[in-house]
């Protein structure tokens, strides 16, 4: 009798058996987040709900296996199965841990994440889940000898298995069609939960996008831009703070039950609290808010355009972009810009990351280095905050500013109690309060009229309905990911010279506004006009008497 050793089968496996086993693993285990969410839907319950789940599982299995049948070739099989297993495992980890789903904008976020941010995401839980769902089956897979088939046999087998898989999918979905149609219509997010097809589909969308749009060209805008200040007004210094991951509802000045913003509360500011973001992630919101097109126009654009920052530069102002984030996503590419990571000021920076107050360090000097003829027309400094970027909220705030305790000090947020996550997040808002107040103090000392505009790129989920972080597709994202704070401060001289009335602006605090207003409003505050400027979208224009 022939002896077989454990784990080293002497009989080679049929390639079809391997693809079937992997499909089974993917559908049953790597899609646990999908099955969990499905189980929580009220309309999926009882025997009918169970049958629906089984039908859907067979439908997904059929589709997955049909795809694998096309790729089931001798040397290709194991790498393809490995890719499927690992993609599905990482998808499952992120869904489980942060309640995110995988779509094209999530893939763009991943591609634009810098190594520092990525290390924020690493933790033991991740290694365990990736190990169990991904590495374990991959390890088993590569130990299996695969039976060699002739090309003709292989082609025949693949064709048959493709047809059979499609048949399984179609029949399963037909049997549950009524429930399938209504559940998918009412819970569109479910399709982003199907591992690993969601990742492949999203990557396909991202790859196809540049084909729809010429990425090599940036269309100029605002070439006629010029300074148009009222008579007697002198050139101003404007600081435009681009906030990060700030939810309007967590600002004390917006009515939050916690006093997260004691310093801003003492300043003569106007805080608008019904402002809606363009996207739910930095990569989608930032270029959109700096675009003249607005959300709809930006999403449908056929080419890329210059940004608000370029328009101010064309108008001859001294423009500077200071970045304390993972970059400005292209909006500051053509103006003087500096990254604080490069500056690495020891008092503010540690381990390649700096606290936001670093942006005020040596600011006078940095402005003085801009061309004198531009400074004579006015100065606009953009400050891109690290703000409340998660999941490592605790890293965003110096120890002395952590007022809300105990705070979650892990980046695996779901391992902390929810209140600790909220505490850690609120500490970042309190630190933003400090940073904005310091910015206002800096402006008060500067000669001439000065002003500050602060607006965040998107909000954040803090464990409501088990959702964390941000980046859900806009249509299904909860309001907390989309409602952002917009704060304005102007010196008395600025108010007087421009005829800006804060009381008028305060009347708009609950008016529905959006990122669509940003481009035009910042142009208004900078005193710049160009063909693209629309006064009806400038929130300051109707509150300005000059
Ligand atoms: Zn962001």
């Amino acid at each position: 009798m022939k002896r077989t050793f454990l784990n080293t089968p002497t009989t080679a496996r049929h390639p079809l058996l391997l693809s079937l086993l992997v499909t089974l693993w993917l559908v049953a285990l790597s899609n646990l987040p999908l099955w969990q969410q499905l189980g929580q839907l009220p309309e999926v319950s009882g025997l009918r709900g169970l049958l629906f789940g089984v039908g859907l599982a067979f439908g997904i299995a059929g589709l997955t296996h049909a795809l694998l049948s096309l790729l089931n070739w001798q040397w290709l099989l194991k790498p393809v199965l490995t890719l499927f297993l690992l993609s599905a495992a990482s998808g499952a980890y992120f869904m489980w841990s942060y309640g995110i789903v995988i779509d094209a904008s999530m893939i763009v976020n991943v591609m634009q994440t810098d190594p520092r941010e990525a290390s924020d995401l690493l933790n033991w839980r991740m290694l365990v889940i990736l190990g169990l769902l991904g590495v374990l089956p991959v390890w088993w897979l590569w130990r299996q000898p695969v039976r060699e088939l002739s090309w003709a046999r292989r082609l025949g087998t693949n064709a048959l298995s493709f047809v059979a898989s499609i048949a399984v999918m179609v029949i399963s979905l037909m049997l549950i069609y009524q429930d399938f149609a209504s559940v998918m219509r009412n819970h569109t997010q479910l399709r982003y939960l199907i591992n690993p097809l969601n990742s492949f589909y999203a990557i396909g969308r991202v790859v196809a996008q540049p084909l729809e749009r010429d990425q090599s060209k940036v269309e100029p805008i605002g070439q006629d831009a010029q300074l148009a200040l009222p008579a007697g007004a002198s050139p101003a210094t404007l600081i435009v703070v681009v906030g990060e991951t700030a939810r309007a509802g967590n600002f004390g000045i917006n009515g939050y039950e916690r006093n997260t913003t004691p310093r801003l509360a003492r300043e003569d500011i106007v805080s608008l609290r019904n402002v809606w973001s363009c996207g739910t992630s930095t990569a989608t919101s930032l270029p959109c808010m700096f675009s003249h097109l607005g959300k709809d126009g930006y999403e449908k654009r056929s080419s890329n355009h210059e940004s608000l920052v370029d328009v101010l530069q064309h108008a001859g102002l001294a423009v500077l972009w200071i970045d304390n984030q993972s970059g400005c996503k292209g909006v500051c590419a053509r103006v003087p810009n500096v990254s604080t990571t490069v500056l690495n000021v020891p008092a503010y920076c540690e381990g390649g990351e700096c606290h936001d107050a670093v942006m005020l360090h040596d600011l006078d000097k940095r402005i003085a280095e801009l061309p004198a003829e531009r400074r004579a027309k006015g100065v606009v400094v953009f400050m891109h905050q690290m703000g409340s970027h998660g999941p490592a909220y605790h890293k965003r705030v110096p120890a002395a500013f952590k007022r809300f305790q105990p705070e979650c000090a892990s980046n695996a947020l779901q391992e902390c109690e929810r209140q600790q996550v909220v505490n850690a997040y609120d500490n970042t808002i309190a630190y933003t309060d400090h940073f904005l107040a310091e910015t206002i103090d800096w402006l008060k000392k500067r000669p001439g009229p000065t002003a500050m505009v602060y607006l965040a790129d998107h909000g954040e989920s803090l464990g409501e309905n088990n959702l964390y972080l941000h980046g859900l597709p806009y249509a299904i994202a909860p309001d907390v990911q989309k409602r952002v704070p917009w704060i304005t401060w102007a010196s008395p001289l600025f108010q007087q010279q421009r005829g800006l009335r804060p009381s008028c602006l305060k009347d708009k605090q609950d008016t529905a506004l959006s990122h669509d207003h940003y481009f035009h409003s910042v142009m208004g505050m900078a005193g710049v006009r160009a063909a693209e400027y629309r006064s009806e979208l400038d929130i300051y224009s109707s509150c300005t008497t000059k």
Side-chain angles (χ1 to χ4, degrees):
M1 207 174 104
K2 213 160 116 189
R3 277 191 67 183
T4 37
F5 292 95
L6 195 65
N7 288 332
T8 48
T10 47
T11 44
R13 308 273 193 203
H14 194 287
L16 196 59
L17 178 70
L18 287 183
S19 64
L20 279 170
L21 286 174
V22 168
T23 302
L24 198 67
W25 181 278
L26 291 171
V27 173
L29 298 173
S30 307
N31 274 299
L32 275 176
L34 169 69
W35 305 130
Q36 276 175 338
Q37 280 224 10
L38 208 61
Q40 284 161 12
L41 297 182
E43 63 263 52
V44 183
S45 63
L47 184 63
R48 185 171 174 150
L50 186 69
L51 290 177
F52 172 72
V54 172
L56 185 62
F58 271 96
I60 295 172
L63 181 59
T64 309
H65 198 258
L67 206 58
L68 285 174
S69 304
L70 297 176
L71 301 164
N72 197 338
W73 304 99
Q74 198 70 44
W75 56 270
L76 201 59
L77 180 62
K78 283 184 180 177
V80 163
L81 294 180
T82 302
L83 179 73
F84 272 60
L85 285 165
L86 294 181
S87 315
S90 37
Y93 167 73
F94 283 106
M95 289 171 190
W96 247 326
S97 302
Y98 301 112
I100 59 150
V101 301
I102 298 183
D103 68 343
S105 70
M106 191 56 75
I107 298 292
V108 172
N109 292 336
V110 170
M111 294 192 308
Q112 295 189 352
T113 296
D114 65 25
R116 197 180 66 210
E117 288 180 294
S119 69
D120 273 3
L121 288 168
L122 278 177
N123 59 61
W124 279 110
R125 187 187 163 105
M126 180 182 198
L127 295 180
V128 170
I129 292 180
L130 285 188
L132 286 178
L133 279 184
V135 178
L136 187 73
V138 165
W139 174 80
W140 174 85
L141 175 71
W142 284 87
R143 295 173 65 92
Q144 306 305 311
V146 184
R147 191 184 304 171
E148 299 234 5
L149 301 179
S150 70
W151 277 94
R153 274 285 298 280
R154 198 111 193 175
L155 189 65
T157 316
N158 288 3
L160 257 175
S161 118
F162 178 77
V163 173
S165 306
I166 293 289
V168 166
M169 178 183 84
V170 172
I171 293 169
S172 319
L173 295 185
M174 269 167 60
L175 288 175
I176 56 162
Y177 183 73
Q178 219 180 355
D179 288 338
F180 178 72
S182 79
V183 167
M184 285 301 172
R185 195 171 45 238
N186 296 330
H187 307 278
T188 38
Q189 80 274 19
L190 289 178
R191 65 193 158 100
Y192 301 111
L193 289 176
I194 301 171
N195 281 320
L197 303 180
N198 50 5
S199 303
F200 300 153
Y201 177 73
I203 290 169
R205 286 283 305 273
V206 173
V207 173
Q209 263 164 13
L211 304 177
E212 296 157 15
R213 197 176 300 131
D214 183 357
Q215 298 287 358
S216 63
K217 268 205 309 248
V218 178
E219 304 278 348
I221 59 164
Q223 289 189 305
D224 61 336
Q226 51 181 322
L227 198 59
L229 294 178
S234 36
T237 302
L238 181 63
I239 291 191
V240 184
V241 179
V242 184
E244 176 59 52
T245 319
R247 17 195 285 177
N250 283 52
F251 279 59
I253 43 170
N254 289 343
Y256 187 42
E257 69 264 22
R258 256 184 175 172
N259 192 5
T260 47
T261 52
R263 291 193 60 184
L264 284 172
R266 287 197 296 272
E267 300 291 344
D268 184 20
I269 51 137
V270 178
S271 181
L272 306 168
R273 51 192 192 187
N274 192 13
V275 183
W276 298 82
S277 70
C278 176
T280 63
S281 69
T282 312
T284 48
S285 267
L286 205 62
C288 176
M289 64 197 276
F290 279 84
S291 154
H292 63 296
L293 297 168
K295 183 173 177 358
D296 288 345
Y298 178 77
E299 285 165 357
K300 292 191 197 113
R301 73 200 187 281
S302 53
S303 53
N304 286 323
H305 295 87
E306 287 183 345
S307 74
L308 165 66
V309 185
D310 294 291
V311 176
L312 303 180
Q313 177 85 355
H314 293 326
L317 299 179
V319 181
L320 173 66
W321 181 286
I322 306 177
D323 206 287
N324 194 33
Q325 255 269 358
S326 58
C328 68
K329 317 289 176 200
V331 305
C332 68
R334 295 159 295 275
V335 303
N337 60 78
V338 56
S339 159
T340 55
T341 334
V342 179
L343 300 178
N344 200 17
V345 186
Y348 302 93
C349 306
E350 201 189 323
E353 180 177 333
C354 308
H355 293 128
D356 284 329
V358 70
M359 294 190 279
L360 291 164
H361 178 78
D362 275 347
L363 184 55
D364 294 284
K365 201 179 98 196
R366 240 179 292 289
I367 291 175
E369 284 163 3
L370 298 170
E373 70 279 11
R374 284 183 172 273
R375 278 186 284 126
K377 289 185 166 183
V379 175
V380 183
V381 180
F382 289 89
M383 293 184 173
H384 189 198
Q385 275 190 284
M386 193 59 175
S388 307
H389 197 290
Y393 305 122
H394 64 285
K395 286 192 187 170
R396 312 284 106 93
V397 184
F401 292 85
K402 293 174 189 272
R403 290 194 278 128
F404 304 109
Q405 294 291 350
E407 70 161 6
C408 177
S410 161
N411 42 34
L413 297 175
Q414 61 293 329
E415 284 173 4
C416 291
E417 299 217 352
R418 224 199 118 214
Q419 190 54 49
Q420 295 188 5
V421 175
V422 174
N423 289 347
Y425 181 82
D426 285 346
N427 283 331
T428 65
I429 300 298
Y431 184 64
T432 288
D433 172 63
H434 162 80
F435 169 63
L436 295 178
E438 289 291 306
T439 303
I440 292 172
D441 282 350
W442 183 90
L443 286 168
K444 283 176 184 167
K445 286 183 212 129
R446 192 162 166 92
T450 58
M452 180 195 80
V453 175
Y454 162 84
L455 178 60
D457 60 348
H458 53 79
E460 185 85 323
S461 280
L462 293 173
E464 297 91 354
N465 298 316
N466 274 321
L467 290 182
Y468 290 91
L469 307 178
H470 53 264
L472 277 187
Y474 202 85
I476 61 168
D479 289 355
V480 285
Q481 294 192 17
K482 299 188 279 203
R483 205 162 175 164
V484 287
W486 185 335
I487 297 168
T488 309
W489 175 89
S491 70
L493 184 61
F494 188 100
Q495 294 177 24
Q496 178 216 323
Q497 287 193 349
R498 303 288 189 89
L500 180 67
R501 292 181 300 123
S503 59
C504 163
L505 211 50
K506 269 190 190 120
D507 291 341
K508 298 186 183 186
Q509 71 173 10
D510 291 313
T511 308
L513 301 166
S514 74
H515 275 169
D516 286 9
H517 294 88
Y518 186 66
F519 178 95
H520 310 276
S521 303
V522 173
M523 270 183 81
M525 285 296 271
V528 168
R529 293 290 178 273
E532 286 78 9
Y533 172 79
R534 287 168 57 192
S535 66
E536 74 275 18
L537 291 176
D538 175 354
I539 63 163
Y540 304 108
S541 132
S542 60
C543 290
T544 305
T545 50
K546 285 184 189 172

